[in-house]
């Protein structure tokens, strides 16, 4: 084949592939927004109405239990995993640990990040079996915490690593302790850290596999830490194949809520990172 | 004076306490890793002592109620879904990455990159739902009849098509990263001997970014391998070795989803399902470690 | 000094970078570079030296923010206003970047790569091209026997000569060198300089440098670029001893040039 023909074919292929990816995005978001939007418009109150007693059969009431459940699972989980993640990431900086340790720990964190969420679910479930407890809000929080921990740690570690050595040296030069120095460094790395926490939250709120057995997928309002709960992704998963059109339409509406939330979070994380970045030398960090 | 020394003592106490906490948190990363592995191994032991590993992996009969635990159908299903979705997703992802890194200019580049990021952020369950609304009827009513196959729409191919969408943005962003890390001089030097832009990409850039792209593919494979919700919604959940790509099937992950609830009370079944979790963990961890080692080794050799 | 034929020349060449704000890096440069001579382009940093060099090989094509106006002529043929495929043009004008840049392949393939793109060589012919090019680049004796080793394994100075060999293998008329010795230690730099000196009898070499000493050592002609304009171009002796322009005189003397736009 002529070299220039090959060039033209390659140009075309490269553009076609990109067009396919964009078309798929439009399709997925579009279908979700249209179907979900239609269901929501028909009855907007379902988002804030608790489920009725025959909810799974005919969609009586709404899915407030899942909205609350999502917040009650992912909110506390994000707080706990953020505290753990920032602490771990701090230890991985050269102030505390050797390069070698950090390298190995990062290797393990990357692998944890790549671990299928269902494995975290099975892990927490195994512990629950051992402890003789049933599915509960607490177990859901625990599994999402384990799921988010490597994600937020990797972001925080990268953000802390991007803080200049000079900043730390200056702070040490003032007679600050390691703890005081790392606090200054964390402040300088804040955009990256915040972006990481938001990413962790977004991932956590969208995941179903980790919480499917651990939180329980209940059809009642969350009743307490040790009571079963459900989340939006679980609700979508369970109701998407329902024979009742009303129940199915709740799954569509829930995905509308979910996709809008997640995309807004991602957008916010980007904007925040950009806004904070104005205060850090070297500009935008992600 | 005494006031100052109290202050110093307090600061040093904070320093001491915090460093103990940070050290604990640092080792926590390794601990999580170890505890997950150990727990799953421990709870898999019942089924592993009862049956040989070879038997579990090669038997085609899955009937937990009668204590037959053959993972063959699920393994075949997992490999089929992973294979097909990578075969569809990987070329599209690499071509898109080439577009983003080598062709696109701002503002298009920024816009398209954010779209790819958005695609990566959409929860799996939403893809599953759209799969049910769009891909299931497409495969069942249009694609399968073309091949003369009777299909309800749910099956290996349907799950694979949607998984290929999920894995694409993941591979795109890692590949773009590898390509953009290459120096401009590499492109200039190659162009200057009279290569076309496509030849630069094909012969030089893809090779120089090869370690990164290869590790992106391995990581992507690991993602599909462990994907749960989308296959569970779209594969049709029949624990049989699939005959065609239109057949319903089962993957290692969907077998957990489908059987955990109802059969949790049987201890041996419980152990068998936890063993599936262990299997997933081992395979995915191997893929991840392989990806990282491979990358490190190849990068040393090519020095790019 | 006798007048020689011109190998490559620019006609009112203007390059504008439009990334953040519009910056005119070259403001209408018309200059010819003589055949089989070594011409150095010198000037303070940011004066457009590299921009000029790259436009002689259409390398700005891959920089979307660079706009080129005017034209470049190689043997009377225009580079920009033409229907010929750009790779055919670039083939006639070799380019060696500032950073030592091996392609991610073996030493042999580094040299053979360009040649293989343009012509169908038999293996024996290709071996011959590789050996000739490496010999011309003074690298043959150092790499003979390990041609299959990766190019990236060589030292920086060797890589720079490998890059020369790679350019020579496609048989160009003009060779563009962008501060090719600035990333090297003095010994390696000397080796590259020596190589260039032997090459200039066969090729027309245009070299950007920031070192006046280097120009004095190896150049036949020196072009002085200042703020995107050609101040003067003259034989090396005249340039350093009796330049026409006052700004050249000051630059050679190492003084700050007062900005006279």
């Amino acid at each position: 084949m002529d070299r220039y023909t090959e060039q033209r074919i390659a140009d075309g292929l490269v553009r076609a592939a990109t067009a396919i990816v964009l078309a798929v995005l439009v399709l997925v978001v579009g279908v979700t927004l249209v179907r979900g939007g239609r269901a929501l418009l028909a009855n907007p109150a379902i988002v804030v109405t608790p489920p009725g007693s025959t909810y799974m059969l005919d969609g009586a009431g709404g899915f407030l239990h899942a909205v609350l459940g999502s917040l009650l699972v992912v909110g506390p989980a994000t707080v706990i995993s953020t505290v753990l993640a920032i602490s771990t990431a701090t230890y991985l900086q050269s102030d505390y640990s050797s390069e070698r340790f950090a390298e190995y720990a990062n290797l393990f964190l990357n692998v944890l990040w790549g671990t299928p969420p269902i494995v975290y679910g099975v892990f927490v479930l195994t512990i629950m079996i051992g402890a003789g407890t049933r599915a509960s809000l607490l177990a859901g929080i625990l599994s999402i915490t384990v799921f988010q921990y490597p994600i937020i740690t990797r972001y925080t570690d990268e953000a802390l690593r991007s803080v200049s050595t000079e900043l730390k040296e200056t702070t040490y030069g003032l007679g600050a302790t390691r703890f005081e120095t790392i606090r200054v460094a964390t402040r300088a790395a804040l955009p990256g850290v915040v972006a990481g926490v938001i990413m962790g939250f977004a991932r956590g709120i969208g995941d179903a596999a980790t919480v499917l057995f651990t939180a329980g997928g209940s059809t009642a309002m969350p009743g307490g830490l040790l009571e079963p709960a459900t989340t939006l992704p679980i609700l979508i998963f369970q109701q998407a194949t329902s024979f009742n059109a009303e129940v199915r339409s709740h799954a569509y509406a829930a995905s509308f809520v979910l996709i809008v939330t997640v995309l807004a979070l991602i957008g916010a994380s980007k904007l925040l990172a950009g806004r904070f970045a104005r205060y850090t030398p070297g500009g935008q960090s992600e | 004076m005494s006031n100052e020394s109290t202050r110093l003592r307090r600061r040093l106490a904070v320093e001491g306490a915090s460093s103990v906490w940070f050290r604990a948190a640092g080792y926590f990363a390794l601990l999580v890793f170890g505890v997950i592995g150990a727990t799953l191994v421990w709870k898999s032991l019942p089924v592993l002592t009862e049956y040989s590993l070879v038997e579990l992996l090669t038997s085609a009969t899955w009937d937990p109620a009668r204590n037959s635990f053959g993972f063959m159908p699920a393994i075949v299903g997992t490999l089929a879904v992973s294979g097909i979705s990578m075969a569809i997703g990987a070329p599209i992802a690499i071509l898109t990455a080439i577009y983003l890194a080598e062709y696109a200019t701002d503002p298009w580049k920024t816009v398209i990159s954010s779209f790819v990021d958005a695609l990566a952020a959409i929860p799996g369950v939403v893809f599953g739902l759209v799969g049910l609304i769009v891909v299931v009827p497409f495969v069942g009513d249009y694609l399968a009849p073309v091949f003369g196959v009777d299909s309800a729409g749910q099956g290996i191919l349907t799950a694979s098509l949607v998984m290929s969408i999920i894995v694409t943005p993941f591979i795109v962003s890692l590949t773009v990263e590898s390509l953009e890390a290459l120096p401009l001089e590499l492109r200039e030097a190659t162009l200057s001997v009279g290569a076309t832009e496509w030849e630069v990409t094909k012969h030089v850039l893809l090779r120089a970014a090869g370690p990164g792209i290869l590790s992106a593919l391995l990581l992507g494979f690991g993602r599909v391998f462990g994907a749960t919700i989308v296959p569970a919604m779209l594969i049709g959940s029949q624990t049989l070795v699939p005959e065609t790509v239109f057949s319903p099937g089962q993957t290692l992950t969907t077998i957990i989803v489908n059987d955990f609830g109802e059969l949790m009370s049987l201890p041996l079944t419980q152990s068998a399902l936890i063993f599936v979790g262990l299997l997933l963990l081992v395979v995915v961890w191997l893929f991840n470690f392989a990806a990282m080692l491979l990358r490190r080794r190849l990068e040393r050799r090519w020095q790019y | 000094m006798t007048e020689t034929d011109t190998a490559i020349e620019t006609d009112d060449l203007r390059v504008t970078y439009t990334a953040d704000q519009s910056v005119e890096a070259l403001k209408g440069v018309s200059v010819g570079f003589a055949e089989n001579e070594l011409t150095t382009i010198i000037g303070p940093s940011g004066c457009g030296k590299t921009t000029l060099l790259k436009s002689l090989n259409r390398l700005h094509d891959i920089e979307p923010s660079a706009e080129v106006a005017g034209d470049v002529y190689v043997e009377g043929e225009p580079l920009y206003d033409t229907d010929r495929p750009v790779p055919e043009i670039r083939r006639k004008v070799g380019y060696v970047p500032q950073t030592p840049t091996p392609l991610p392949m073996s030493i042999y393939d580094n040299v053979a790569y360009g040649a293989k793109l343009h012509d169908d060589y038999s293996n024996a012919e290709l071996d011959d091209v590789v050996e000739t090019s490496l010999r011309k680049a003074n690298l043959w004796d150092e790499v003979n026997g390990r041609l299959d080793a990766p190019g990236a394994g060589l030292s920086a100075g060797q890589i720079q000569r490998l890059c020369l060999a790679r350019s020579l293998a496609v048989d160009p008329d003009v060779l563009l060198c962008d501060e090719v010795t600035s990333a090297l230690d003095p010994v390696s730099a000397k080796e590259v300089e020596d190589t260039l000196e032997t090459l200039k009898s066969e090729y027309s070499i245009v070299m950007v440098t920031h070192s006046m000493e280097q120009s004095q050592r190896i150049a036949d002609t020196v072009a002085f670029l200042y703020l995107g304009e050609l101040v003067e171009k003259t034989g090396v002796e005249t340039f350093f001893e009796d330049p026409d322009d006052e700004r050249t005189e000051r630059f050679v003397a190492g003084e700050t040039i007062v900005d006279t736009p």
Side-chain angles (χ1 to χ4, degrees), chain B residues 126-148:
Chain B
V126 174
F127 284 107
L129 189 69
V130 174
L132 281 172
I133 297 173
V134 179
V135 186
V136 167
F138 169 72
V139 171
D141 300 343
Y142 297 97
L143 208 54
V146 169
F147 290 91

Side-chain angles (χ1 to χ4, degrees), chain A residues 186-277:
Chain A
T186 310
R187 193 171 304 169
L190 212 54
V193 178
V194 171
V197 173
I198 296 180
M199 282 305 282
F201 187 88
R203 289 251 153 227
I205 207 157
D207 196 73
T210 37
V211 281
L212 198 52
F213 317 117
T214 52
S218 89
T219 49
M221 293 293 280
L225 259 189
L226 298 176
E227 296 299 314
T230 196
T231 66
L232 285 169
I234 301 181
L235 179 126
I236 299 167
F237 176 68
Q238 289 176 333
Q239 295 180 194
T241 45
S242 169
F243 292 108
N244 185 294
E246 181 65 22
V247 176
R248 269 205 315 275
S249 81
H250 283 209
Y252 300 160
S255 3
F256 181 97
V257 174
L258 196 61
I259 205 170
V260 168
T261 311
V262 168
L263 291 182
L265 283 171
I266 301 296
S269 139
K270 295 216 155 187
L271 281 181
L272 263 176
R275 171 160 293 200
F276 274 118

Side-chain angles (χ1 to χ4, degrees), chain C residues 64-122:
Chain C
S65 71
E67 281 171 17
V68 181
D71 215 325
V72 177
Y73 297 89
V74 182
E75 292 171 341
E77 290 268 344
L79 233 64
Y80 287 86
D81 184 21
T82 178
D83 293 331
R84 283 190 303 159
V86 184
E88 294 302 319
I89 298 169
R90 291 208 182 99
R91 172 187 185 176
K92 287 289 158 202
V93 186
Y95 171 79
V96 181
Q98 179 174 7
T99 332
T101 308
L103 303 183
M105 41 186 89
S106 69
I107 295 173
Y108 183 95
D109 287 334
N110 255 282
V111 182
Y113 177 71
K116 275 196 290 192
L117 287 177
H118 298 286
D119 296 300
D120 294 321
Y121 286 101
S122 71

Side-chain angles (χ1 to χ4, degrees), chain A residues 144-229:
Chain A
I144 293 288
T145 305
V146 183
F147 170 72
Q148 289 174 321
Y149 168 69
I151 301 176
I152 304 182
T153 310
R154 290 295 290 121
Y155 275 101
T156 310
D157 178 60
E158 246 162 58
L160 281 175
R161 239 163 250 282
S162 68
V163 173
S164 71
T165 345
E166 284 81 4
L167 178 75
K168 287 190 194 171
E169 283 167 359
T170 312
T171 321
Y172 280 126
L174 292 171
T177 63
R178 259 192 320 191
F179 179 66
E180 288 153 356
T181 303
I182 211 76
R183 273 180 56 184
V184 174
T186 310
R187 193 171 304 169
L190 212 54
V193 178
V194 171
V197 173
I198 296 180
M199 282 305 282
F201 187 88
R203 289 251 153 227
I205 207 157
D207 196 73
T210 37
V211 281
L212 198 52
F213 317 117
T214 52
S218 89
T219 49
M221 293 293 280
L225 259 189
L226 298 176
E227 296 299 314

